[in-house]
Each structure stands twice: as C-alpha cells, then as structure tokens.
Amino acid sequence: ILGWSAVLNYALLSFWVLILFLASDWVYTLHNRWFSINREHYDLANYILIGGYKLLIFTFLLMPYLVLRFFI
C-alpha cells in the first residue's frame, strides 16, 4: 500500500506542477482574489510547498516502501 500511495501522491504532485506550469497566470489571479500577495511571494510559496511535499512523499512513503520491499 505504501508503493501505491507514493505513486498516487507523486501523480498529485505532478498535476500540481503541471497546472502551475500551464496556467500560472490564471492560478495566480484566482489566489490573488482571496489573498493579497504579490507574484514573487506566490511563486516562492509554491516552490517551497512543492519541495516540501516532494520531500515528505520521499521520506514517509517511498523510503519505507523500498526498505520493506528490498531489505526485509
């Protein structure tokens, strides 16, 4: 179940990056209506959140899967 959870979470992460890559201006204007944030802070927040999410997936899903699969 860890392997499929990692695949699902990496798919969600890829979707997030793809949406930000293809529709960055639209997503920014949508969020700018809700929160008063400039573009630089918005991009920085997304960069930090994407990196943190990727690190959490790797640490808590992928690494335990690989250890259980190949070493135990």
Side-chain angles (χ1 to χ4, degrees):
I1 191 136
L2 285 172
W4 286 112
S5 296
V7 168
L8 182 65
N9 277 285
Y10 274 120
L12 181 63
L13 179 69
S14 299
F15 178 71
W16 181 5
V17 170
L18 187 69
I19 290 297
L20 283 178
F21 182 71
L22 296 177
S24 179
D25 293 332
W26 177 75
V27 175
Y28 171 70
T29 56
L30 179 70
H31 284 95
N32 198 24
R33 290 183 199 162
W34 298 332
F35 311 107
S36 177
I37 189 170
N38 63 13
R39 185 61 186 238
E40 291 80 21
H41 287 125
Y42 175 75
D43 289 338
L44 180 64
N46 271 305
Y47 182 73
I48 290 170
L49 289 171
I50 287 171
Y53 187 52
K54 183 171 51 172
L55 185 62
L56 288 172
I57 294 169
F58 182 77
T59 304
F60 293 111
L61 293 175
L62 191 60
M63 285 308 296
Y65 170 75
L66 292 174
V67 167
L68 290 173
R69 175 92 166 111
F70 295 111
F71 294 108
I72 293 179

